[in-house]
Amino acid sequence: MTTTATDYRLIDSTLRDGSHAISHQYHDEDVIAIVKGLDAAGVQVIEIAHGDGLGGSSFNYGFSAVPEKELIAKACEVTTNAKIACLLLPGIGLADDLREVSEMGVSVARIAVHCTEADITEQHIKVAKGLGMEAIGFLMMAHMNTPEGLVEQALLMQSYGADTIYIADSAGAMTTEDVKVRVNALVQALDVPLGVHAHNNLAMAVSNSIAAFQEGARNLDGTSAGLGAGAGNCPTEILAAVSDKYGISTGVDALKLMDLAEEVVRPLMPRQQVIDRAGLILGYAGVYGSFLLHAERAANRYNVSQAEILLELGRRQVVGGQEDMIIDVALELAAKHAAQEEQA
Amino acid sequence: MRMRCAILGSGNIGTDLMMKLLKGTDASGSGQTPLEVVALVGIDPASDGLARAKTHGIEGPHEGPQWILDHADDIDMLFDATSAYVHVRHYKQYAEAGIVAVDLTPAARGPKVIAAVNLTEHLDAPNINMVTCGGQATTPMVYAVRRAVESLPYAEMVSTVSSKSAGPGTRQNIDEFTKTTSTALREIGGADLSKAIIILNPAEPPIMMRNTVFAGLPEGTDHDAVLASVYAMETDVQHYVPGYRLKNPPVIEEGPFHTPGGTVPHRAVVLLEVEGAGDYLPPYAGNLDIMTAAAQRVGEAIATHKAGVSA
């Protein structure tokens, strides 16, 4: 497909952010089917990696069933038009990982960081640029910083050479107003395009994405069937359908994306992406979405409430990557309950 | 005779180390230190660290590594608290000038020393690498698990430090941090395979440094022995870092876990907190403390060893 003018660029993260919801258990055949489906539907960029980015396979975040680089190689092999992207969190993945995947054909590197720590991305943005990749600076948990604060951080990334800046509502905690003021401030301040990555914990993902576009964001993220951390991401097929209704040109075929979601992705899902109590609490308390399943496991293991764990994590202002604190909180809650029982 | 030391790098780490050495007591707090600080050397004449040096009657030049080389005759030992890049550029010159370098950057040129594990292993080396703050905090616990098991196929550490306590050196060196730490978990901790993760947390008020160690436990492991070894190590580290503690009791969790070193039925989880002594930055900056306290301990071990050899 040649470059038909579209109003925004769609980046699908089913094979990266979606990985959280299936505890990083993707296999070759899933990657092949999903890449083929997205590519055929005209999606411009397909992101693939462990849910926590390159090098994320670990005790802390869960081990991948198949080494991510095998899956990435497969995606690069199968795609015809769509670019393959990866995500990397400095402190978890290494610049060496970027070198390796660039060699395989990955041409977009999203360098992700908590929304106040942009200066740790300099090394990795520069390496990505040096490899000839498109570098996207990705500011996570954007609800935890003010519009002015985000502008300051985004300008740093722009100064390191980032081609695009993204803000991610990683906790699915933003209202439409929250999104608008942030996007507006960033679009005014930046020379490079802006993108928005939304989660659905407050049932706002699609409407917030459309609002972001209307305020000037020119990149939007989705995942097929909303597969992803927390109550899920902005569902790619719904975003495409709603964009059509608005007359916003996406260059993707919404019906083909619906087929992919229904026939390929839903059958893979251990459970449908619904906004249950735990999912809603993530958005309500502003907690990193990928904590959801880890908190469920810790709650079962130590016989404490998942909701209580998530609320305490919100109080402690933990950031993405601090999954170890889930065990810490669960142990403290269990000790507190034991002490209370002893008193009674 | 006391050993004459210069500290290179007037940022958070260098200044904290200077404040510790100026107390005059040794790292355990029970005796006198054999180390004498002669200078804190920076590159920014306006830095807070250099100003503090001068208030304490210590030289505070801003000519960087060149000052050290120009004063080689008056310096026996150098604590390098700059950055990995700066250390790599100059470490050979320090050795040629006869200055013992205790390297607090993750440059990893000399043998690695974790104060609670292999303190006396490299006392004659011209260059000692102190790994990283996270490495000083977690390698002892990996080693504690290792000595209680037949084999340790995989170990992992996660270190979270407050954003305020992570200076530009740490931020620009983040890959070096994880690589050097991960190597220490294998070479000194005794794990076959390893991974290190670092997270910065901007919460206000700043959080204490947190470290978590995960260790894959093979079939047939004596879990009580693992836990007892972890508790014993806590006491050993507290000897020179009083604010080092198990935040929760260590736990053994049931898997299976499919680690890169193979599938294991259980994992040990050790949740640590490090409260700093507040010598320079406030107590939340335990990451500075564990590094500077460990470096002081290593410097003192070298000084005592050299005094013994020459006597």
Side-chain angles (χ1 to χ4, degrees):
Chain A
M1 194 183 313
T2 47
T3 43
T4 33
T6 61
D7 291 328
Y8 66 84
R9 179 171 69 162
L10 183 58
I11 299 187
D12 183 278
S13 186
T14 310
L15 291 169
R16 200 279 301 167
D17 215 353
S19 177
H20 289 293
I22 60 162
S23 303
H24 318 292
Q25 302 300 299
Y26 275 124
H27 289 86
D28 283 16
E29 57 273 23
D30 309 323
V31 169
I32 293 169
I34 292 170
V35 170
K36 278 188 175 164
L38 292 169
D39 192 37
V43 169
Q44 293 97 328
V45 182
I46 299 170
E47 181 176 66
I48 173 166
H50 183 282
D52 294 86
L54 297 175
S57 182
S58 58
F59 269 131
N60 204 29
Y61 310 124
F63 293 108
S64 302
V66 176
E68 63 187 346
K69 281 166 193 159
E70 258 180 68
L71 300 178
I72 292 170
K74 196 53 80 180
C76 291
E77 200 181 297
V78 170
T79 187
T80 58
N81 290 308
K83 288 183 182 170
I84 301 298
C86 66
L87 180 122
L88 178 139
L89 280 75
I92 298 176
L94 299 171
D96 292 340
D97 293 316
L98 289 177
R99 293 185 183 101
E100 239 181 283
V101 300
S102 157
E103 197 73 10
M104 293 173 182
V106 173
S107 59
V108 181
R110 300 215 285 187
I111 310 300
V113 73
H114 185 73
C115 60
T116 54
E117 311 298 316
D119 58 358
I120 64 169
T121 62
E122 181 175 3
Q123 197 179 16
H124 302 84
I125 287 177
K126 288 184 172 164
V127 167
K129 291 307 297 169
L131 291 163
M133 300 169 99
E134 176 185 348
I136 298 181
F138 196 84
L139 293 163
M140 301 188 293
M141 299 287 272
H143 74 285
M144 288 176 87
N145 204 347
T146 58
E148 301 73 40
L150 289 171
V151 164
E152 199 179 295
Q153 297 290 309
L155 286 173
L156 282 176
M157 289 172 146
Q158 182 177 282
S159 76
Y160 306 147
D163 300 293
T164 296
I165 307 292
Y166 250 87
I167 55 169
D169 184 12
S170 317
M174 283 204 243
T175 62
T176 303
E177 195 51 37
D178 292 335
V179 172
K180 280 184 173 173
V181 292
R182 285 169 174 75
V183 169
N184 198 285
L186 286 159
V187 168
Q188 302 277 333
L190 291 173
D191 298 328
V192 298
L194 183 75
V196 170
H197 171 103
H199 278 271
N200 208 33
N201 303 331
L202 296 177
M204 307 294 284
V206 176
S207 46
N208 282 355
S209 298
I210 296 291
F213 168 76
Q214 288 168 336
E215 293 295 315
R218 288 297 171 261
N219 295 265
L220 294 175
D221 274 19
T223 68
S224 187
L227 186 74
N233 290 52
C234 177
T236 311
E237 67 284 2
I238 304 182
L239 182 61
V242 173
S243 297
D244 284 353
K245 301 278 277 187
Y246 271 95
I248 302 167
S249 158
T250 61
V252 303
D253 185 332
L255 287 167
K256 282 188 181 164
L257 288 175
M258 291 181 216
D259 291 344
L260 175 71
E262 199 67 21
E263 290 161 21
V264 177
V265 176
R266 285 197 195 280
L268 276 177
M269 294 164 70
R271 56 176 138 194
Q272 298 302 309
Q273 295 284 178
V274 294
I275 307 173
D276 58 7
R277 178 179 53 191
L280 180 54
I281 282 177
L282 293 170
Y284 192 57
V287 176
Y288 196 59
S290 53
F291 287 1
L292 184 77
L293 296 181
H294 297 285
E296 184 179 278
R297 279 190 285 271
N300 291 336
R301 194 170 259 146
Y302 296 107
N303 198 21
V304 294
S305 143
Q306 181 191 16
E308 263 190 83
I309 294 177
L310 294 173
L311 287 168
E312 175 60 20
L313 291 167
R315 274 191 288 270
R316 288 194 190 181
Q317 301 176 61
V318 295
V319 302
Q322 288 188 271
E323 270 76 346
D324 53 326
M325 288 302 108
I326 294 167
I327 304 172
D328 196 64
V329 168
L331 286 170
E332 272 164 31
L333 289 173
K336 201 170 88 183
H337 295 167
Q340 281 165 350
E341 261 168 48
E342 215 162 278
Q343 271 188 345
Chain B
M1 207 191 76
R2 301 219 290 170
M3 225 169 165
R4 296 162 305 172
C5 307
I7 300 167
L8 178 60
S10 60
N12 293 341
I13 297 257
T15 309
D16 191 75
L17 178 59
M18 175 184 74
M19 299 308 287
K20 279 191 168 52
L21 293 178
L22 283 174
K23 289 186 198 168
T25 47
D26 68 11
S28 68
S30 55
Q32 260 216 325
T33 182
L35 306 177
E36 180 194 353
V37 203
V38 298
L40 175 70
V41 186
I43 48 168
D44 174 8
S47 77
D48 179 52
L50 297 187
R52 271 177 196 247
K54 287 165 193 161
T55 358
H56 287 92
I58 304 282
E59 282 208 68
H62 61 270
E63 286 85 13
Q66 195 53 48
W67 192 92
I68 302 287
L69 296 168
D70 291 346
H71 295 75
D73 291 345
D74 307 317
I75 300 168
D76 305 309
M77 184 183 289
L78 166 69
F79 290 99
D80 190 346
T82 56
S83 75
Y85 299 117
V86 176
H87 187 76
V88 168
R89 229 175 285 141
H90 298 285
Y91 78 102
K92 283 186 185 149
Q93 293 168 289
Y94 304 141
E96 282 158 15
I99 303 169
V100 175
V102 177
D103 170 22
L104 288 77
T105 81
R109 296 295 121 168
K112 297 181 180 64
V113 172
I114 298 292
V117 182
N118 65 337
L119 180 66
T120 56
E121 217 172 77
H122 302 288
L123 295 176
D124 289 311
N127 187 305
I128 297 282
N129 178 253
M130 297 302 299
V131 190
T132 61
C133 56
Q136 289 293 339
T138 58
T139 313
M141 286 303 172
V142 172
Y143 178 79
V145 174
R146 178 65 188 89
R147 68 186 174 189
V149 296
E150 286 284 311
S151 69
L152 181 52
Y154 175 79
E156 180 179 312
M157 66 79 79
V158 185
S159 198
T160 307
V161 304
S162 67
S163 299
K164 270 201 176 153
S165 68
T170 308
R171 289 167 181 274
Q172 285 155 17
N173 280 329
I174 203 146
D175 272 22
E176 285 71 14
F177 177 99
T178 51
K179 284 197 257 192
T180 300
T181 307
S182 183
T183 308
L185 299 187
R186 297 191 302 276
E187 287 180 0
I188 302 169
D192 295 339
L193 294 171
S194 61
K195 180 167 179 68
I197 294 167
I198 180 171
I199 310 285
L200 305 182
N201 180 309
E204 286 292 341
I207 58 154
M208 298 262 178
M209 183 200 200
R210 293 299 310 262
N211 296 280
T212 300
V213 172
F214 294 98
L217 304 178
E219 204 74 59
T221 298
D222 178 350
H223 293 169
D224 290 339
V226 169
L227 299 177
S229 179
V230 165
Y231 280 115
M233 184 56 82
E234 179 191 23
T235 310
D236 286 353
V237 178
Q238 283 172 345
H239 190 58
Y240 59 95
V241 188
Y244 183 88
R245 54 181 168 255
L246 293 162
K247 186 71 169 51
N248 276 295
V251 288
I252 309 286
E253 293 189 337
E254 204 177 327
F257 300 97
H258 306 288
T259 81
T263 298
V264 293
H266 295 95
R267 69 179 181 189
V269 186
V270 181
L271 296 152
L272 298 158
E273 180 175 86
V274 188
E275 180 179 354
D279 293 321
Y280 177 51
L281 287 192
Y284 63 76
N287 43 317
L288 299 194
D289 250 72
I290 194 153
M291 177 48 96
T292 53
Q296 180 181 1
R297 191 160 172 79
V298 169
E300 287 168 355
I302 294 170
T304 309
H305 170 71
K306 293 212 189 285
V309 171
S310 59

